[in-house]
Amino acid sequence: LKEIYKSLKLLNMAYKKNDKYIYIGTPSIFNLLFSRNINNQLLDIRDITWEYIPDKNFFYRIIKKIITIYAIKKLKNFSVITCTNNSEFKYLKNKTNKSQIVYYLPNGISLDIYNKVSNLKSREIDTKKVVSYIGNIGKAQNLEILLRTAQISTNIKFNIVGSGREFKKINKLVEDLELKNVYLFGRLEFAEIL
């Protein structure tokens, strides 16, 4: 309910300003669902969240169907839509009309950061193999797979760096599975990661 309230409040403020352009971001599906049909609106899709609603029973399937239909209808409110992966791009191209522009803007790092990481010297402190995940900890990342891998690969150290909506769930799962080879760091600045 808090997310619904914040989304409504934010969008009402944005629409009252009568700016030339309005840029709306997700993954909060409510930002999309509460959008209005006006000119010069841009949408940044970070996740096609309505597709993540589980199909576990009849009620969920009906809710998913209703929200999916409504979300696709609301996509028509935007002249430009950006997304961050190829599967979202294909999905959006299939659901939008010819007059709408859909851009694929992959997540990535700058050349400067890439060069810094590439030029790091190997630290021979620990002989144990290390797998590190650095990024958002949300539903779309499905880090439970990484934890299940850690559960059967006890000879490998797993580092998880980041924050997000699923952080507490992942932390609890690490505790529940008693994973001694998984380390959660939370959000860190780039210099701290190096």
Side-chain angles (χ1 to χ4, degrees), residues 37 39-41 75-81 92-93 95-103:
N37 189 7
N39 289 332
N40 298 325
Q41 254 186 145
L75 288 175
K76 309 291 187 236
N77 290 346
F78 300 90
S79 53
V80 176
I81 301 172
L92 293 166
K93 285 298 272 185
K95 303 297 183 189
T96 55
N97 60 49
K98 301 279 186 233
S99 66
Q100 292 175 285
I101 301 167
V102 179
Y103 288 108

Side-chain angles (χ1 to χ4, degrees), residues 109-137:
I109 59 173
S110 69
L111 183 58
D112 180 52
I113 291 176
Y114 173 79
N115 287 334
K116 286 179 183 174
V117 171
S118 297
N119 293 323
L120 286 175
K121 300 292 181 223
S122 177
R123 296 185 224 169
E124 298 294 331
I125 300 167
D126 194 349
T127 57
K128 200 175 212 184
K129 290 183 178 157
V130 177
V131 173
S132 294
Y133 170 82
I134 303 170
N136 185 49
I137 300 175

